[in-house]
Amino acid sequence: MATVDPDARAHDPADDTPEIDERRARAVAEQAREATSDLPGFAKELYLGRLRLDLIHPMPGPDRAERERGEAFLARLRDFCEGIDAQRVEREDRIPDEVIAGLRELGALGMKIPVEYGGLGLSQIHYNHALTLVGSVSPAIGALLSAHQSIGVPQPVSMFGTEEQKREFLPRCAREAISAFLLTEPDVGSDPARLRTTATPTEDGEAYLLDGVKLWTTNGVVADLLVVMARVPEGPGHRGGITAFVVEGDAPGITVERRNRFMGLRGLENGLTRLHGVRVPTAHRIGEEGQGLRIALSTLNTGRLSLPALCVGAGKWATKIAREWSRERVQWGRPVGRHEEVAKKIAYIAATTYAMEAMLDLASRMADEKRRDIRIEAAIAKLWASEHAYRIADELVQIRGGRGFETAESLAARGERGIPAEQLLRDMRINRIFEGSTEIMHLLIAREAVDAHLTVAGDIIDPDADRAAKARAFTKATGFYASWLPTLAVGRGQLPSAYVEFGPLSGHLRYVERTARKLARSTFYGMSRWQGRLEVKQGFLGRVVDIGAELFAMSAVIVRARHDVDTRPERGAGPFEMADVFCRQSRLRVETLFEGLWSNTDDVDGKLARRVLDDAYPWLEEGVLDPSLPGPLIAPADPGPSTEENLHRRMG
């Protein structure tokens, strides 16, 4: 069997990786993007100025058998989680082996894996509820389970794997094998065009040899199975491109060189992994060559919902602590929660938590139903929940005052309840970066939000399009806008009798309808004003996305409140009250965002930033010392054999 000598192939990756300019980088990302789905999408319609309430109301839940199976598992999981010493994870910086063993025994590693492959086959909504529960005890454990099932081996193999791959890998993942996803590299984050890890086909076509370095491999230190993204060189019989592989975690040539440590999520088994001449059978390639990024993005469509699930857990716990503390702590003759400044924080925490859960459950139900395009909904849920969960954590620390800044163990040592508010703040911070930073999510959602415009008018603003293509696009765009623009002038939101079935929340729903049309008009004005330059107007696009996210959150919370009042009579009018306060808060944020579309400091901010980067203000940095440890800002990551001890270990 012919092989390639890995040492003979050691080289500078720049030799085979083409020079990547901005245009090529965008092209790679665009090629990986899924084609427009034929399935309807609520958020997609919202950005076009259409409130398609029929797509989210009423939303069916899981059938009875599925619901009973899910609730039974959640009850067992709750009993198990009550025995976890969360502060031990924080203190020892690792999840105890007996916790992992217990999760394996419960079947928690296979929550999303179909029953026919040895998993529990839970619905998306019950899977997310499980992550909410586990994450409330230890976000590090929640992150391990999420990385394993939402982006690790089970999800891409379930979606794109062959039947043979499903039979080989899914039962292992359901029972015992922990998995990880390896995409990021020391100099490659959200710009996959610069990916340097290579997968060189062997001469006999039976395998690939992987070489490269992967950074921030969540679960990578302890993973039994890996999903690795690597670039296959183009050549005879090989289309090449970024490709996905399932790789054994202990395969020869894999070295976990570092276990990384972070501000929060202590216990997270995240590392730096080197691959050198790692032989992977062709049968372990997921999909075809060049489909790796599309597989990764498709996996994330539902995989991203795991992060808002963890955020919901944080919000629910923060609500509990804020309520108990603000009633107990007395200042100036009354509980601090009765003072307006603190009361506003409590109201924000509670109302936002209700909205996060409403948004998550709605997106999860749509994912289970599989009759909706939820790309934008999942992305918005991740973006919106991660931003607000971090603010919730910050507000909880502020409500707790000095005790909020003190660690749980320090509090307990002097006889008080060890409330880990400061830990929550540290743990929640990463969610604004995980699985697409806020800035990247803005760009991703913005691309989907303007897709209809680019479909009909893209060639008009494309500098590379020839005259004939521009002429065809102009004709197409004229027809589209002639029929679409008039629909943005009037709508149901202007009728006082509209949406009366939502009772006291009907006015908020009318606001959503009116504002969606206003947002669509604003997007069109932006395209008309900047045309091809719209893609660099990231401040404008970010505000468009954030307005749509608020409108989606309001829609979700209104529908959820109506459902709760109808099906949970013991809650009385509470859901309506909670949703009303949330919508009032959200509307204020929306109005501020609209004002910022056209009145902002984006241009002068950009000019100042460029001057800072050009070293125009060195005097501003005088008078301080840099406490950073020495070393390059980005460490070299050339392929080759490892000289480090392998830190890989098996959990449980």
Side-chain angles (χ1 to χ4, degrees):
M1 186 175 294
T3 61
V4 179
D5 178 7
D7 291 318
R9 290 180 296 103
H11 62 282
D12 184 345
D15 292 344
D16 346 317
T17 305
E19 188 67 29
I20 304 299
D21 59 15
E22 186 176 356
R23 193 164 191 81
R24 178 178 171 81
R26 288 198 304 270
V28 170
E30 185 65 19
Q31 289 167 9
R33 176 181 166 270
E34 286 186 82
T36 301
S37 172
D38 293 331
L39 296 175
F42 175 79
K44 179 168 60 177
E45 291 290 302
L46 204 60
Y47 281 109
L48 285 171
R50 299 190 282 253
L51 177 59
R52 288 287 306 277
L53 204 57
D54 59 298
L55 297 178
I56 63 171
H57 174 74
M59 200 70 195
D63 62 39
R64 182 175 178 179
E66 191 176 72
R67 183 172 63 252
E68 290 177 350
R69 185 172 70 250
E71 294 301 325
F73 171 75
L74 289 174
R76 296 194 301 273
L77 182 64
R78 186 181 189 90
D79 289 342
F80 175 77
C81 286
E82 286 177 347
I84 295 175
D85 181 355
Q87 284 306 301
R88 181 182 171 191
V89 177
E90 187 76 359
R91 187 169 55 251
E92 297 181 359
D93 199 15
R94 68 171 51 189
I95 301 167
D97 281 353
E98 58 267 28
V99 171
I100 298 301
L103 290 171
R104 283 191 174 114
E105 186 176 346
L106 276 172
L109 296 185
M111 289 185 284
K112 287 193 71 178
I113 295 174
V115 174
E116 58 265 35
Y117 298 108
L120 299 181
L122 297 186
S123 65
Q124 183 73 38
I125 195 165
H126 284 108
Y127 169 68
N128 285 337
H129 287 177
L131 290 180
T132 294
L133 175 61
V134 173
S136 68
V137 177
S138 169
I141 300 176
L144 181 142
L145 292 175
S146 168
H148 165 63
Q149 292 173 87
S150 298
I151 59 174
V153 170
Q155 190 78 357
V157 168
S158 294
M159 294 176 66
F160 298 98
T162 64
E163 184 58 35
E164 291 76 14
Q165 289 171 340
K166 292 176 183 178
R167 288 200 302 266
E168 179 175 359
F169 297 120
L170 294 184
R172 288 177 60 188
C173 291
R175 291 191 303 266
E176 60 177 357
I178 294 172
S179 67
F181 175 66
L182 278 62
L183 170 63
T184 303
E185 300 177 359
D187 197 27
V188 179
S190 299
D191 180 8
R194 304 174 67 246
L195 196 78
R196 303 172 73 183
T197 297
T198 57
T200 305
T202 57
E203 292 179 5
D204 58 10
E206 303 240 343
Y208 295 82
L209 296 177
L210 273 58
D211 289 274
V213 179
K214 296 293 186 179
L215 179 62
W216 296 324
T217 58
T218 298
N219 292 355
V221 179
V222 296
D224 305 287
L225 289 170
L226 314 170
V227 175
V228 180
M229 295 290 168
R231 184 186 300 279
V232 177
E234 186 177 349
H238 293 278
R239 61 175 291 185
I242 298 173
T243 305
F245 300 90
V246 179
V247 183
E248 296 287 344
D250 59 357
I254 294 181
T255 306
V256 178
E257 295 187 340
R258 298 282 183 276
R259 182 189 170 203
N260 304 317
R261 286 171 169 79
F262 303 98
M263 172 194 295
L265 289 187
R266 291 174 186 166
L268 190 71
E269 299 286 353
N270 179 294
L272 178 94
T273 302
R274 179 177 294 272
L275 304 101
H276 177 63
V278 179
R279 185 181 178 86
V280 182
T282 300
H284 290 186
R285 185 189 69 212
I286 308 175
E288 300 299 322
E289 290 181 0
Q291 292 183 343
L293 284 182
R294 182 164 295 183
I295 289 171
L297 290 176
S298 298
T299 297
L300 283 172
N301 282 340
T302 53
R304 282 197 177 97
L305 292 176
S306 63
L307 283 181
L310 297 173
C311 292
V312 168
K316 285 176 173 287
W317 180 78
T319 302
K320 175 180 184 294
I321 298 302
R323 171 179 58 83
E324 293 174 346
W325 170 253
S326 300
R327 191 172 54 199
E328 177 80 11
R329 176 67 161 168
V330 175
Q331 292 285 275
W332 297 296
R334 52 179 170 167
V336 295
R338 301 290 181 181
H339 293 282
E340 189 173 89
E341 279 288 280
V342 176
K344 288 167 59 178
K345 298 180 187 301
I346 297 170
Y348 168 75
I349 291 172
T352 304
T353 297
Y354 187 56
M356 282 196 296
E357 186 173 40
M359 184 185 291
L360 174 65
D361 283 358
L362 176 59
S364 299
R365 291 180 191 278
M366 289 193 285
D368 286 331
E369 199 182 23
K370 295 182 172 62
R371 292 195 296 130
R372 305 284 186 267
D373 178 5
I374 68 160
R375 283 178 295 178
I376 303 181
E377 285 83 352
I380 286 177
K382 187 274 175 191
L383 166 70
W384 194 90
S386 64
E387 288 291 322
H388 283 276
Y390 183 66
R391 182 180 165 190
I392 283 174
D394 186 60
E395 296 287 30
L396 179 64
V397 168
Q398 191 70 18
I399 289 172
R400 288 271 294 160
R403 289 172 172 84
F405 195 65
E406 192 172 359
T407 67
E409 288 208 333
S410 177
L411 289 163
R414 57 184 183 78
E416 294 190 1
R417 192 198 305 182
I419 295 173
E422 60 83 31
Q423 179 190 337
L424 184 73
L425 186 64
R426 290 186 286 104
D427 288 345
M428 286 297 104
R429 183 60 183 85
I430 187 57
N431 292 332
R432 299 175 60 206
I433 300 171
F434 260 168
E435 296 180 20
S437 68
T438 291
E439 294 74 22
I440 293 299
M441 297 308 295
H442 275 152
L443 297 180
L444 185 151
I445 298 168
R447 172 61 185 85
E448 298 298 337
V450 301
D451 181 62
H453 302 282
L454 294 179
T455 299
V456 300
D459 282 340
I460 297 176
I461 60 177
D462 185 351
D464 292 338
D466 58 30
R467 186 172 299 178
K470 289 181 181 293
R472 288 192 299 270
F474 182 80
T475 302
K476 188 177 181 181
T478 299
F480 172 78
Y481 289 120
S483 61
W484 176 67
L485 286 173
T487 68
L488 304 181
V490 293
R492 289 191 67 196
Q494 293 167 291
L495 301 176
S497 60
Y499 310 116
V500 291
E501 64 270 29
F502 290 90
L505 303 179
S506 59
H508 293 308
L509 207 48
R510 290 193 292 271
Y511 173 84
V512 171
E513 196 278 337
R514 294 193 307 271
T515 308
R517 287 186 283 111
K518 180 180 178 181
L519 177 61
R521 292 194 302 268
S522 298
T523 305
F524 174 72
Y525 297 154
M527 287 199 65
S528 302
R529 177 176 176 178
W530 292 300
Q531 298 187 24
R533 293 184 59 246
L534 181 64
E535 67 181 23
V536 301
K537 303 299 292 184
Q538 294 176 6
F540 176 86
L541 291 172
R543 294 180 191 97
V544 165
V545 167
D546 286 341
I547 292 169
E550 293 288 349
L551 297 181
F552 175 49
M554 291 175 67
S555 302
V557 82
I558 291 168
V559 168
R560 172 63 176 266
R562 177 73 273 176
H563 175 79
D564 283 354
V565 168
D566 291 342
T567 61
R568 306 291 294 271
E570 72 277 9
R571 296 184 177 181
F576 278 163
E577 295 167 356
M578 192 76 71
D580 175 62
V581 172
F582 171 77
C583 289
R584 291 173 186 268
Q585 295 171 352
S586 181
R587 286 170 71 158
L588 291 176
R589 292 192 291 266
V590 168
E591 295 308 309
T592 299
L593 287 164
F594 266 117
E595 182 179 354
L597 284 178
W598 313 110
S599 178
N600 54 65
T601 60
D602 293 349
D603 289 342
V604 295
D605 290 344
K607 291 177 182 176
L608 180 61
R610 288 190 292 273
R611 293 277 289 158
V612 171
L613 295 176
D614 291 338
D615 297 328
Y617 311 112
W619 45 265
L620 185 60
E621 301 164 16
E622 293 173 0
V624 299
L625 296 174
D626 184 353
S628 304
L629 300 178
L633 291 175
I634 300 174
D638 294 336
S642 179
T643 59
E644 304 289 338
E645 176 188 357
N646 188 2
L647 302 181
H648 180 265
R649 66 183 180 86
R650 192 172 189 275
M651 298 187 82

